Amino acid sequence: MSKADEIFIGAIDQGTSSSRFLIFDVKGQIVASHQAEYENHYAKAGWVEKDPNQILQSVETVIVGACRRFQALGYEPSQIKGVGITNQRETTVAFDIETGEPLTSAIIWNDVRTKELVHKLIAEAGSATRYATINGLPITTYFSAVKMRWMLENVPAVKEAREKGTLRFGTIDSWLIYKMTGNFVTDVTNASRTMLMDIKTFKWSSECLDFFGVQESELPEIRSSSEIYGTIKDGRLEGVAIAGCLGDQQAAMVGQSCFETGEAKNTYGTDCFMLFNTGETPIFSKNGLLTTVGYQLGADAKPKYALEGSIAVAGSAIQWLRDKVGLIVSAPEIGFLADTVDDNGGVYFVTAFSGLFAPYWRDDARGCIVGLTQYATRGHLARATLESVCYQTRAILDAMRKDSGNELRRLRVDGGMTNSEQAMQIQADILGIEVVRPEMRETTALGAALAAGLGVGVWKDESELRQVAQSNVTAFWSGISDDKRNDMIAGWEKAVQRSLDWA
């Protein structure tokens, strides 16, 4: 096959602090990419926002940069047959449909300006989980509906646009698709993070809309995660279809080919996000996990649901050891330091710097290091830090198993911490199951590309997507006995008890 006959798929990866455009070949390998970092704006304590036009401009910049590199390799942008989008979830944009311009800054997912509003809404609802059986989510500052409500109550331009009937609310995916194609749509995964979609019907819920004060006419059309939403109007990719769309964690789930019930992925970043495929029926957690849409790969395809849990402190604990304690000079050093000892020497580090998330849900917990003796070394503390993330991963996956009734087959992993062989071996030891790390670490962007490629016919079905996603993997298996594992877990649970009742 000549270069001119090769075909490719692009992926826009729009994150919290950067945008990237990656071009994949049909084997799922990256051919060219470009990244542009940017800073969010912090107008007040707890506020995190960004001009939506600047987010759009960053996406346009990375498309140009990646296409230049692509052309330098002897290819043409016309060989890119489709583009997928993966994005920071829950971040909310308000714009005027007449002008196409934003009415205010986008409120980023981790903004907490709505804290007082959330307390008010919970009191009004009678419970934070009043609508969880409809939308799968508790009422918190994270999700989009409270950001929309805040804008309606506090931004005059948003109120005026509502009165004129020109107000539109969207998440980052729908903003980008609208500006690039002219069509105002979102996908089921992003819609499932707004608190406004009924996750059983995939329609905007009239009950949730009424409660949060949002009108259905102000929201995008809900579509599947893999279909043609429109074609790009101008620029280097003019005429190319946008055909895939997934929230970032769901995109990683697809990129890791977690297509079977009981498969799970964990992304180890500053924090951790775990998604567990529960099949074609939503499961509502009794252990504080979130119920969400995993993906729907085609307008006629059956949707797959997931349970989601998160760890507040993962890679940030390693940063703390480096920047605040000075135990290590660089992050990769922690693995080598942990490898200088055979076990944790009885030392446990509960990294509850701001409380413990699922399944503990204790905001009164604080970080603590227990079990220290004169035998303990820097190596033991390094190992205890890695183990902390692995124990919390096990706790969440145990909760997922209890909620779903499905045994976990294997854990697929990605993110910065997975570069550590030691960390992944510790994770396999603590879980007692296979831990699978792909050679392709860009699983989020790959997931968006796979959805787009499926949408334009580059790949035909999930089996072909799985072949692309799992072309090269490294597997880690437990090297310890069940008795040893149970003793380690018992020690961790004892350490967790020591971390409670501090705030």
Side-chain angles (χ1 to χ4, degrees), residues 318-462:
I318 299 171
Q319 295 168 356
W320 180 78
L321 286 182
R322 181 193 65 197
D323 301 336
K324 299 294 180 68
V325 180
L327 186 74
I328 54 176
V329 176
S330 64
E333 186 183 344
I334 192 167
F336 299 110
L337 191 56
D339 227 18
T340 63
V341 295
D342 294 328
D343 55 34
N344 64 14
V347 177
Y348 291 87
F349 181 11
V350 183
T351 56
F353 295 148
S354 55
L356 288 169
F357 284 10
Y360 305 103
W361 294 114
R362 293 292 296 263
D363 59 8
D364 62 340
R366 289 296 179 268
C368 68
I369 300 171
V370 300
L372 289 171
T373 65
Q374 287 183 309
Y375 171 70
T377 66
R378 295 168 67 239
H380 292 115
L381 185 54
R383 186 179 179 92
T385 304
L386 296 179
E387 285 187 356
S388 178
V389 179
C390 298
Y391 285 123
Q392 290 178 77
T393 297
R394 181 187 173 98
I396 291 178
L397 291 175
D398 281 346
M400 290 176 168
R401 185 160 39 210
K402 290 175 185 175
D403 279 332
S404 69
N406 294 312
E407 287 299 315
L408 179 64
R409 299 178 178 185
R410 65 186 62 84
L411 180 66
R412 301 188 183 279
V413 298
D414 56 72
M417 266 185 67
T418 65
N419 292 321
S420 167
E421 303 283 319
Q422 297 85 353
M424 293 302 97
Q425 185 57 54
I426 291 169
Q427 186 68 87
D429 289 341
I430 289 173
L431 290 179
I433 61 171
E434 182 185 16
V435 172
V436 178
R437 181 183 67 191
E439 180 183 5
M440 165 57 66
R441 306 298 172 84
E442 299 289 355
T443 55
T444 302
L446 177 61
L450 291 175
L454 186 66
V456 296
V458 171
W459 299 292
K460 295 178 181 177
D461 51 35
E462 285 185 8

Side-chain angles (χ1 to χ4, degrees), residues 26-29 253-264 277 295 297 304 409-412 434 436 438 440 446-447 450-451 454 459-473:
V26 294
K27 295 180 180 179
Q29 299 300 307
M253 191 177 183
V254 171
Q256 288 274 27
S257 68
C258 292
F259 297 139
E260 300 296 326
T261 301
E263 290 187 320
N277 187 327
Y295 55 85
L297 295 178
K304 294 292 182 72
R409 299 178 178 185
R410 65 186 62 84
L411 180 66
R412 301 188 183 279
E434 182 185 16
V436 178
M440 165 57 66
L446 177 61
L450 291 175
L454 186 66
W459 299 292
K460 295 178 181 177
D461 51 35
E462 285 185 8
S463 64
E464 288 194 4
L465 300 187
R466 187 182 287 276
Q467 288 177 7
V468 174
Q470 296 184 15
S471 56
N472 289 290
V473 299

Side-chain angles (χ1 to χ4, degrees), residues 4-5 61 64 140 143-145 171 182 203 211 222 258-259 265 290 300 330 335 352 391 412 434 463:
D5 293 328
T61 296
V64 170
T140 75
F143 305 114
S144 306
T171 42
K203 305 291 185 185
F211 179 75
I222 301 172
C258 292
F259 297 139
K265 74 89 192 172
L290 304 178
D300 298 322
S330 64
Y391 285 123
R412 301 188 183 279
E434 182 185 16
S463 64

